[in-house]
Amino acid sequence: MLKPKIAPSMLSSDFANLASEADRMVRCGADWLHMDIMDGHFVPNLTIGSPVIESLRRHTDAYLDCHLMVTNPLDYVEPLGKAGASGFTFHVEVSKDNWRELVQKIKSKGMRPGVSLKPGTCIEEVYPLLEDENPVELVLVMTVEPGFGGQKFMPEMMDKVRALRKKYPSLDIEVDGGLGPSTIDTAASAGANCIVAGSSVFGAPDPAQVIALLRKSVEQELQSD
Ligand code: DX5
Ligand code: ZN
C-alpha cells in the first residue's frame, strides 16, 4: 500500500548542527531525511558525502534518503552503504551504461535503489529501469534544476508524475524542488507520494505544521483513489 513519505531536505538545515537538525525534523514528523549529495561536477554546487552520512548515522535511526547528484554514482555505493545510507537515488542521465550494475550493487549493500531525472529528461528514460527483473524501487522527479534549494516549482513536470502513476500504481514517486503549502496539491493530485521539502519546511516558523499539511494533502489524494 502506498504511504505518504515527507522528507525534509537537510540541504536547508544548519549543516553545523546537523545531528540536532535531524532530530528536530524527526520530532516535527518527518518520515525520511533527504540528503543531497553533490560533487560540484554533475551540479554546480558541493555539499556532503559519505563521511557526513556516517557521522549523522551515529546520531539517528531515521531513514536517510540519499539523492546522488554526482557524475559517477557507482563510486559512492560502497562508501555510502558502509556509512549507513538507507535509500540511494542516482541520476539516469549519468547511468545509461551501468544502471543494472548500480541497482544490483545498491541492493547488495542493503540500500533501496531509486532513479532520478532532471527537468529536461523524458520520463521514458526511466521505464527500462522499472521494467527490469531487478528494478529500481523509487523514481525521483526533479521539479527544479538540481543543485540548489529555494527555487521555483516547475508545474510542467507533473505530466511525468501522471504518466508514471498511471503505469505504476504502487510505485514510490518522489518530487523534489519548490514543494511547499502552495504547490503540494498540484504534486499530490498528479500522483506523487514522497515529498521532499527544504526551504518551505526549514524556513517556516512551525516546521511541524508544514510537514503535517504536506502529509494531509498526499493522504487525501491516496484515499480518494
Ligand atoms: C536541489 C535538491 C533539493 C533541494 C530542495 O538540487 O535536490 O533536495 O534541497 O529544496 P527546496 O525544497 O528549497 O526547493
Ligand atoms: Zn534532492
Side-chain angles (χ1 to χ4, degrees):
M1 231 236 327
L2 269 184
K3 288 192 180 130
K5 299 286 179 193
I6 310 303
S9 172
M10 300 308 289
L11 182 60
S12 292
S13 75
D14 175 4
F15 272 173
N17 290 294
L18 194 54
S20 64
E21 289 283 77
D23 182 54
R24 181 165 73 102
M25 285 303 122
V26 170
R27 282 187 285 108
C28 282
D31 300 285
W32 292 352
L33 300 177
H34 186 79
M35 308 302 299
D36 287 303
I37 296 175
M38 306 183 190
D39 65 354
H41 186 258
F42 180 71
V43 287
N45 196 5
L46 189 63
T47 52
I48 58 165
S50 309
V52 175
I53 299 293
E54 191 181 338
S55 295
L56 181 60
R57 179 49 86 209
R58 289 192 213 111
H59 297 270
T60 184
D61 293 331
Y63 185 99
L64 300 179
D65 174 40
C66 297
H67 176 195
L68 281 285
M69 285 161 276
V70 302
T71 304
N72 300 309
L74 202 51
D75 295 346
Y76 294 71
V77 177
E78 169 116 27
L80 269 180
K82 275 201 188 124
S86 312
F88 186 114
T89 299
F90 57 87
H91 267 265
V92 71
E93 298 85 4
V94 289
S95 315
K96 294 218 164 68
D97 302 326
N98 63 0
W99 59 263
R100 275 198 184 86
E101 183 186 3
L102 258 170
V103 172
Q104 185 263 319
K105 286 206 167 138
I106 292 166
K107 285 191 180 173
S108 78
K109 298 293 167 197
M111 296 178 288
R112 191 161 182 250
V115 68
S116 181
L117 69 166
K118 298 203 303 189
T121 303
C122 299
I123 194 62
E124 286 77 15
E125 301 268 336
V126 307
Y127 291 161
L129 287 74
L130 288 160
E131 274 149 37
D132 194 71
E133 56 184 0
N134 197 21
V136 291
E137 296 173 21
L138 172 146
V139 176
L140 167 49
V141 176
M142 286 306 300
T143 45
V144 297
E145 285 299 338
F148 300 91
Q151 303 180 75
K152 199 171 167 290
F153 177 74
M154 299 166 76
E156 59 276 26
M157 295 302 124
M158 293 305 100
D159 287 349
K160 296 182 189 178
V161 174
R162 270 188 289 273
L164 270 178
R165 181 53 76 220
K166 194 163 175 228
K167 224 164 136 60
Y168 306 100
S170 59
L171 175 69
D172 271 336
I173 303 177
E174 188 169 43
V175 282
D176 183 5
L179 272 304
S182 62
T183 50
I184 184 60
D185 289 347
T186 305
S189 66
N193 66 303
C194 304
I195 312 297
V196 178
S199 42
S200 69
V201 168
F202 283 93
D206 185 355
Q209 193 186 21
V210 176
I211 290 173
L213 186 151
L214 299 175
R215 181 187 311 289
K216 196 164 173 227
S217 178
V218 176
E219 262 167 6
Q220 277 173 349
E221 200 52 49
L222 292 175
Q223 278 158 14
S224 74
D225 290 339

